[in-house]
Amino acid sequence: MIPTHPIRAVVPCRACLSGEDLDWLGGGGRSVGVALALTTTVEAGPGPAPDTQVPDGWSWEVWAFLRERLPGLAPRPPVVTVSSEAPAASGLSSSTARIVALFRAFTDPSFTGRRVGDDTIARWAYEFEFAVFHGGGMDHLAVVEGGALLIEGRERGLPAVRERLEFPDEWRVVVVDSGTRKDTGHHIRDVRAQLAAGDPALAAYRAVADEASGQVWEALHGRDLAGLGTAMARAHEAMRDHQRMSTPFLEELRALALRAAGLPLKLSGAGGGGALVGVCRADAVEETADRLTRALNASHPQARVLPTRVAPGARRAAVPAGGDRTAPAERTVGPASSAGAVGLVRGGEQQPALP
């Protein structure tokens, strides 16, 4: 089937408040992830990618993955435009958001003639990404479901969602992008080697990080902002002290944020770089961001502050009539790479939520 209108999928990124790696280390370790309203948008179609266009690996590979499972898809993927508000290689799962958005857009009934539910999209996107990176499934669940998730880890397959909460409306998330890139692939290989060797440092990290996740979740339940900051700091210290996931530069940024704005920050994601996240009151977020920005401009100008909120799941976004149809960020034309999944729209008409 070939749609006569563009298909748009809009997906949040993910911040990890506690428990990096516990979603795939197994043993029931707990992680806490939240969806952030720094979105990735994939717009697909209406026509196929032209023969003269340089193929983009992710969109072609996602399309090939789906052709094995959904009979009737055309041989070539549609032309795709991608934009993202989340910084790349920052520990905010922008790559997973891109992959999920491709799955969401490409499984629209206009292409497939059938509906594909969110559970299936999350599972397929996880299987696709696991074959490349061998990581976990917290990211896929967070960007599909939205809100805040308490996740129980498994060594293989999507982890289990133990509980979901709507994030308090009176809180906001402050992202500090360090401007240094992560190397998550290298990190995952190292941790899998630790797991195979029974490394006691990894065992110690798992115990402390799991306990911190429980404290983070308790603070979210109780709307205890100070308790949340303390628990996130403990989760960060476990990453730094047991697994060396932080760097001196990231520790400088944490110290600066505490001095300048009284904001505890935690590294989101592993790999030795990327973004730190903190939570503050909504009525204080502008002042907090301003203080951080002024302090960073004076000493660490490559870093930037991105205040945002926790995003809901399965939102819809209309395709404007005429004009620029992409979000005001990075623009990539052609069959896209990896993306997340939170919504899709057909020809500007809102559609009911997918199963």
Side-chain angles (χ1 to χ4, degrees):
M1 301 178 65
I2 300 176
T4 58
H5 46 261
I7 307 299
R8 173 172 285 185
V10 183
V11 178
C13 66
R14 183 276 299 143
C16 182
L17 303 189
S18 181
E20 274 80 0
D21 298 334
L22 297 193
D23 59 323
W24 58 266
L25 283 173
R30 294 169 292 176
S31 303
V32 179
V34 295
L36 297 184
L38 298 172
T39 59
T40 294
T41 300
V42 164
E43 189 170 305
D51 292 338
T52 56
Q53 191 170 55
V54 177
D56 173 280
W58 286 123
S59 65
W60 282 75
E61 290 177 25
V62 168
W63 190 259
F65 181 99
L66 289 172
R67 288 192 72 208
E68 294 178 355
R69 293 156 179 82
L70 297 173
L73 288 183
R76 299 176 63 84
V79 64
V80 170
T81 302
V82 179
S83 60
S84 179
E85 299 169 337
S90 64
L92 299 177
S93 298
S94 59
S95 60
T96 292
R98 195 165 176 171
I99 287 171
V100 176
L102 284 169
F103 272 92
R104 173 60 66 80
F106 288 171
T107 56
D108 181 79
S110 298
F111 291 113
T112 65
R114 51 171 286 190
R115 287 185 175 271
V116 178
D118 284 347
D119 289 348
T120 300
I121 289 173
R123 177 169 54 82
W124 283 353
Y126 161 77
E127 291 171 357
F128 175 86
E129 197 166 0
F130 182 85
V132 179
F133 299 112
H134 308 293
M138 179 210 311
D139 304 353
H140 310 82
L141 293 171
V143 302
V144 170
E145 297 206 16
L149 301 181
L150 178 65
I151 290 172
E152 182 178 290
R154 297 175 179 170
E155 282 194 43
R156 188 72 179 250
L158 278 174
V161 177
R162 293 181 58 166
E163 195 173 352
R164 182 185 183 279
L165 285 176
E166 294 298 339
F167 203 76
D169 289 338
E170 64 271 22
W171 294 356
R172 293 293 183 270
V173 177
V174 177
V175 175
V176 177
D177 176 21
S178 70
T180 59
R181 295 176 65 88
K182 288 183 169 292
D183 180 6
T184 305
H186 184 272
H187 169 81
I188 290 173
R189 289 192 299 272
D190 289 347
V191 176
R192 288 202 176 275
Q194 283 183 284
L195 182 63
D199 189 336
L202 180 61
Y205 166 71
R206 293 169 73 174
V208 176
D210 174 72
E211 187 174 350
S213 294
Q215 294 167 349
V216 165
W217 198 251
E218 182 179 352
L220 287 174
H221 257 295
R223 295 177 179 264
D224 177 3
L225 185 57
L228 178 62
T230 299
M232 288 173 60
R234 188 177 185 202
H236 175 92
E237 290 159 6
M239 297 168 67
R240 178 193 66 199
D241 299 342
H242 293 287
Q243 286 294 89
R244 302 181 299 281
M245 295 188 208
S246 189
T247 67
F249 178 64
L250 294 173
E251 294 304 315
E252 285 180 24
L253 296 183
R254 293 185 69 234
L256 180 148
L258 210 52
R259 287 196 310 269
L263 183 67
L265 292 179
K266 176 200 167 289
L267 180 62
S268 178
L276 299 138
V277 294
V279 181
C280 69
R281 299 192 323 271
D283 59 8
V285 69
E286 288 188 15
E287 180 182 359
T288 299
D290 286 345
R291 286 184 177 182
L292 278 175
T293 298
R294 288 196 300 269
L296 289 168
N297 284 343
S299 58
H300 301 86
Q302 73 271 46
R304 57 180 178 146
V305 180
L306 302 169
T308 187
R309 65 176 65 226
V310 171
R315 293 179 294 114
R316 308 293 176 180
V319 176
D324 183 12
R325 296 202 297 251
T326 65
E330 166 202 0
R331 181 182 172 115
T332 305
V333 179
S337 63
S338 37
V342 143
L344 69 90
V345 165
R346 302 199 289 152
E349 175 189 357
Q350 280 200 339
Q351 302 299 307
L354 293 176

